[in-house]
């Protein structure tokens, strides 16, 4: 990595202190060193120029060696988003899913597109646009499924590195013959594992310390993989500690298929456990229909869940129960699951996590006869709803925990890396604007009387990429909006 | 109205031919006369310049007297959206609702804000921004709840007229003492009716033919109104044929309250029917929990339903069943219900109507024992999902039918008025773009291989106000994006 300029960030900082609470630092300053690490934080100094002076003095840095970014009044810095589940090749299909559900969606829309990306020119167009867009939405870390193709997967890793997005890049293992079509599957288990090794070697070459890019072992989902391939991938994990990602329990038809194909296991999670894939470094996408026992097993193994609310609704998979998974002690992050989900934005995923939690609440029946049982159900209905703070936690710290980066990203703390975004909202002028809109900073309108909590809520619910003015990964500016 | 320039629109036109089907007119032309009416349509001519020549010749118009707008390659004209339920004063609270549900939401967030808009400077700021934003999202017709204040309601009507948005503007009738707080209710039934008459008179003065602005009779909801006020508003309707809007069956607590307050009626719909408010010109917002009997009554009376999917989810009200209401023969349109719903965009409401219909589907239990019953349930589950075409129908023609304007707006036909938007999508360049995004036309990316149906789906699911480049109401350009 070439040496970077040091940074001083000044203004208001907002991040998730806990799962339930945001912390607001006003008139504060953060200093970032040449390695992209937070070197110092000054808060409660009442004045940004004072924060700046103190930081420079404390660190012995001169003004000449730092780039200063001062958030304007009403703007704030927020941690970059973590997308724990996104299919880069499917970006080209965002919004195209008709009335399909999982298995016919794979066959109709997904396998044909993924297969076609062995054309590297096409892959470059789709991947570059996917990375550019997700960066523009504030996604500083993305956990990608690529395709089965080695060269295209390596290209995705190259593009993430050159565009500066922190990424886990997985060549998709599909050596099974049950659901994988003849035109899109690995030639054999041996070829499949060899191809995966080639993509791991490639990343080792371009980013030896896995500083920004890491390979990730990616059995697509149990029905796509042989027992041997799953076991071998688990063996690679044990040797290398590389992370693992796959899908679990998205759709009833899929679950039936898994039961049929793997009679030796007593559940879907049981299949992954049997073949060594349930590890603390495993991200399981969806987990909509997992049983109590499966949730307990996942928690016990320390595996993580990527909640994909948009996709779960679009493909009529079902509403996943985040509060319940949290109760079980499972770490949960958010996935856009493009293109099962239509949106490349984790802010949208957070919004939809809030909405879907309300659908979970609305599904709780309140007994007509009233009494204690009804009171309990009403409490439960209230409790399962996710707050603004909680869904933003999922989008940042929750995601960081899922991908094992909780010590590096997801919040603002000395020693952590500067993966962040600068957020702006529209201030509505005083004179009752009837003229044309003269800005293009999204449509979150702040009138001036809102609390900071209200502003963040407005951003969550109506914000988009226009509100994300700057994005940094590891201290490097990787996106800026004019 | 001052005379307008005639218009020629050339390019691709897309609108809802039926509830199920979009019609695509390529290389077509539409001529709009000086009154904003569609004078002629040329289609299937294979060439836009040919369409232009033919239109001018057919109508005997000279090129000098028309303004020509030619859609660029990939752009298309689409009917303007109809928002059948939006609270203009609540625009300032968009996104701020916490974990509340209807009755506490009214008390905590809504009544304080609405009440404060008797300050006309504040009302001007909020209303002007609300109209500007909804226009920018392609809403050419909005059915507004204002507040109880006469002057502020009249100001909303003035602003809609001056900014060119077709609108129904309702002073909110709140003469009851049950849920209306002392600081925000009409002084008496008599005062309430007098105030409503004043707002009707005002609109009659500024737009005598109700060409663009119409008053709408607006009993807030049954618990807010006295029996006498409801009866008197019904009487005004019978004398004037003015439309009516109110809320119905949004939330279980509200329904219980109605049953308690109006023991003389056998249902919520029954209350409105008893006091004369169920008419073919009545728009009922929400209708989440209405019974079979209520739906039959509403259908029989020819009253309409405004489906508010965003709000129904945000306030944990429940998922309304559009397919079922359609089966009953009820006309349904879409409402943003700002700020029960956070988004001022009907495109977002259409998107959420698609999502909520999938939640309705996911709520259908499939019997474990299989057999014919399971097959039937699977079919029903499939059937209740709304397609892209159907939710766009709700957003345009469905809405037009709700507000009694189906002969004027919602589609492209000779004799109808030109309420429309020009939509643009991003074409992804060929070279695999890794540079900064150089446009700001939203984030719907078209790679070039998509069908027109796919493009519209991409717009529905990821489109926003940036994709709406121009908006016309009655032939007048009322919004343009740089």
């Amino acid at each position: 990595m070439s040496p970077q300029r040091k940074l001083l960030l000044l203004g208001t900082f907002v991040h998730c202190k806990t799962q339930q609470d945001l912390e607001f630092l006003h008139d504060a300053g953060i200093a970032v060193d040449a390695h992209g690490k937070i070197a110092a934080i000054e808060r409660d100094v009442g004045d940004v120029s004072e924060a700046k002076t103190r930081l420079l003095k404390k660190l012995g840095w001169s003004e000449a060696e730092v780039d200063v970014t001062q958030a304007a009044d009403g703007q704030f810095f927020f941690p970059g988003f973590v997308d724990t589940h996104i299919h880069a090749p499917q970006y080209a299909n965002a919004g195209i899913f008709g009335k399909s559900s999982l298995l016919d969606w794979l066959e109709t829309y997904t396998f044909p597109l993924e297969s076609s990306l062995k054309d590297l020119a096409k892959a470059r167009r789709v991947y570059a646009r996917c990375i550019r867009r997700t960066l523009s939405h504030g996604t500083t870390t993305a956990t990608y499924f690529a395709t089965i193709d080695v060269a295209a997967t390596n290209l995705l890793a190259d593009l993430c590195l050159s565009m500066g997005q922190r990424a886990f890049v997985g060549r998709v293992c599909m050596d099974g013959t049950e659901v994988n079509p003849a035109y899109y599957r690995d030639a054999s288990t041996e070829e499949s594992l060899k191809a995966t090794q080639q993509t791991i070697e490639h990343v080792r070459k371009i980013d030896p310390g896995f500083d920004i890019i890491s390979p990730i072992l990616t059995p697509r989902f149990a029905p796509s993989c042989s027992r041997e391939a799953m076991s071998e991938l688990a063996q690679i994990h044990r040797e290398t500690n590389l992370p693992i990602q796959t899908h679990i329990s998205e759709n009833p038809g899929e679950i039936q298929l898994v039961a049929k194909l793997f009679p030796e296991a007593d559940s879907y999670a049981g299949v992954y456990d049997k073949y060594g894939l349930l590890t603390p470094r495993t991200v399981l996408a969806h987990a909509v229909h997992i049983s109590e026992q499966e949730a307990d097993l996942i928690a016990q193994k320390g595996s993580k869940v990527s909640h994909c609310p948009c996709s779960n609704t679009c493909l009529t998979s079902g509403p996943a129960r985040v509060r319940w998974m949290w109760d079980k002690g499972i770490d949960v992050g958010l996935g856009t699951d493009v293109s099962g989900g239509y949106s490349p934005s984790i802010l949208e995923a957070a919004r939809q996590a809030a909405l879907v939690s309300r659908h979970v609440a609305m599904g709780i029946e309140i007994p007509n006869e009233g009494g204690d049982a009804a009171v309990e159900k009403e409490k439960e209905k209230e409790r399962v709803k996710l707050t603004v703070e909680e869904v933003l936690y999922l989008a940042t710290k929750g995601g960081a925990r899922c991908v094992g980066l909780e010590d590096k990203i997801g919040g603002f703390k000395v020693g952590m890396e500067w993966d962040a975004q600068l957020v702006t909202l529209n201030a509505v002028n005083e004179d009752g604007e009837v003229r044309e809109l003269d800005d293009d900073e999204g449509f979150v309108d702040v009138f001036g009387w809102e609390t900071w909590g209200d502003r963040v809520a407005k951003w969550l619910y109506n914000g988009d990429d226009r509100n994300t003015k700057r994005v940094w990964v590891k201290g490097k500016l990787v996106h800026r909006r004019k």
Side-chain angles (χ1 to χ4, degrees), chain A:
Chain A
M1 304 291 289
S2 57
Q4 285 171 194
R5 297 265 299 164
K6 292 171 186 163
L7 306 178
L8 271 192
L9 299 309
L10 303 171
T12 293
F13 298 78
V14 183
H15 67 154
C16 299
K17 194 171 182 183
T18 66
Q19 204 168 290
Q20 288 79 36
D21 292 305
L22 292 172
E23 182 173 48
F24 297 86
L25 309 179
H26 300 292
D27 298 320
I30 288 186
V32 176
D33 70 18
H35 305 287
K37 270 198 182 158
I38 296 176
I41 301 179
E42 280 293 324
R43 51 183 299 181
D44 302 326
V45 287
D47 183 300
V48 290
S49 57
E50 175 65 18
K52 180 175 159 185
T53 309
R54 287 202 204 175
L55 282 168
L56 291 176
K57 194 174 163 198
K58 182 191 246 177
L59 296 164
W61 295 358
S62 74
E63 193 146 356
E65 62 182 323
V66 298
D67 287 343
V68 178
T69 303
Q70 182 164 340
D73 195 30
Q75 296 185 331
F76 58 95
F77 297 97
F78 198 80
F81 292 134
V82 181
D83 189 341
T84 59
H85 187 66
I86 172 167
H87 295 262
Q90 297 172 23
Y91 176 73
N93 268 352
I96 305 175
F97 56 94
K99 284 177 77 167
S100 63
S101 58
L102 179 63
L103 298 176
D104 59 312
W105 170 81
L106 284 169
E107 200 179 309
T108 310
Y109 299 101
T110 304
F111 290 150
L113 175 61
E114 287 193 16
S115 159
S116 76
L117 291 210
K118 60 181 179 282
D119 170 348
L120 292 183
K122 187 172 179 183
R124 174 177 287 274
R125 273 184 87 203
V126 173
Y127 288 163
R129 193 43 89 112
C130 175
I131 299 164
R132 173 57 54 209
R133 284 288 182 209
T134 51
L135 280 174
S136 77
H137 285 279
T139 299
T140 48
T141 299
T143 311
Y144 285 119
F145 278 60
T147 66
I148 66 171
D149 191 75
V150 171
T153 301
N154 292 346
L155 175 62
L156 177 58
D158 294 345
L159 288 169
C160 289
L161 188 65
S162 71
M163 295 168 79
Q165 189 174 50
R166 200 185 286 275
F168 295 85
V169 176
R171 191 202 76 91
V172 183
C173 169
M174 295 172 63
D175 71 326
T177 53
E178 187 68 28
V179 293
N180 308 324
Y183 68 85
Y184 185 53
R185 65 182 175 224
D186 294 323
S188 67
T189 304
E190 196 188 347
E191 288 297 321
S192 179
L193 294 163
K194 198 172 116 195
T196 293
Q197 290 288 9
Q198 288 169 337
T199 59
I200 296 170
E201 286 318 308
H202 180 77
V203 176
R204 231 187 272 282
K205 206 169 62 195
I206 62 170
D207 187 6
F210 299 161
D211 266 348
I212 292 285
I213 314 295
S214 167
I216 184 165
L217 301 163
T218 308
R220 185 176 199 111
F221 68 149
S224 272
C225 300
S226 69
R227 291 163 176 79
E228 192 188 346
M230 289 194 280
S231 297
E232 290 291 329
L233 291 173
Q235 181 58 28
I236 298 174
H237 161 76
R238 286 190 296 272
E239 289 163 7
T240 58
N241 199 31
L242 282 177
I244 299 168
Q245 63 181 347
T246 188
H247 300 82
I248 195 168
S249 202
E250 184 172 353
N251 163 292
E254 168 212 17
I255 296 164
Q256 284 168 20
L257 183 62
V258 170
K260 193 186 93 184
L261 295 175
F262 299 92
E264 69 272 31
D266 61 357
S267 70
Y268 200 154
V271 174
Y272 291 139
D273 189 39
K274 188 170 181 69
Y275 298 106
L277 292 169
L278 283 194
T279 80
R281 297 224 64 196
T282 303
V283 180
L284 301 163
H286 303 287
V288 176
H289 303 283
I290 53 171
S291 66
E292 294 278 340
Q293 291 74 17
E294 287 179 289
D296 290 337
L297 176 61
I298 290 165
Q300 181 209 326
K301 295 289 177 175
S303 298
K304 324 296 184 192
V305 166
S306 174
H307 175 45
C308 305
C310 187
S311 167
N312 291 344
T313 303
C314 289
L315 301 186
T316 334
S317 301
R321 295 153 294 164
V322 173
R323 181 77 62 200
W324 172 75
M325 291 193 273
W326 274 345
D327 290 346
K328 290 282 182 187
I330 299 172
D331 282 319
V332 183
L334 288 178
T336 59
D337 193 26
V338 165
S339 68
Y342 52 78
S343 173
S345 158
I346 283 291
L347 191 67
E348 170 81 20
R351 188 150 63 218
Q352 296 219 17
L355 299 181
V356 165
S357 75
R358 281 159 177 76
H359 280 284
V360 172
M362 293 185 284
I364 295 174
E365 299 269 350
I366 310 293
N368 275 331
E369 59 278 17
D372 286 355
V375 172
E376 281 308 305
K377 288 288 182 187
E378 284 286 4
K379 270 193 204 158
E380 180 61 11
K381 190 170 169 173
E382 203 51 32
R383 204 178 73 86
V384 299
K385 296 193 225 174
L386 300 177
T387 64
V388 168
E389 293 79 5
E390 287 172 330
V391 298
L392 290 173
Y393 175 90
L394 288 172
T396 55
K397 278 196 169 169
R401 290 182 67 90
C402 277
V403 297
L405 293 177
E406 64 271 26
D407 295 333
K408 276 193 178 175
I409 61 166
F412 302 138
K413 213 172 121 183
V414 172
M416 291 177 80
E417 303 192 354
W418 181 248
D419 281 28
Q421 54 189 314
L422 175 62
V423 177
T424 193
L425 307 171
N426 292 301
V428 178
N429 58 2
E430 286 294 329
D431 65 349
E433 174 174 2
V434 290
R435 62 177 187 273
E436 297 285 305
L437 298 168
D438 54 3
D439 50 30
D440 205 358
E441 304 201 333
F443 60 91
V444 179
D445 285 328
V446 172
F447 287 82
W449 55 70
E450 297 89 346
T451 65
W452 270 95
D454 288 345
R455 286 164 199 230
V456 171
K458 284 191 161 192
W459 174 53
L460 169 67
Y461 283 112
N462 278 318
D464 61 35
D465 52 311
R466 284 170 287 188
N467 300 109
T468 293
K469 301 298 278 182
R470 302 274 183 284
V471 180
W472 295 264
V473 172
K474 211 171 187 283
K476 189 175 155 198
L477 186 68
V478 293
H479 173 73
R480 66 183 296 158
R481 187 164 281 275
K482 278 164 287 200

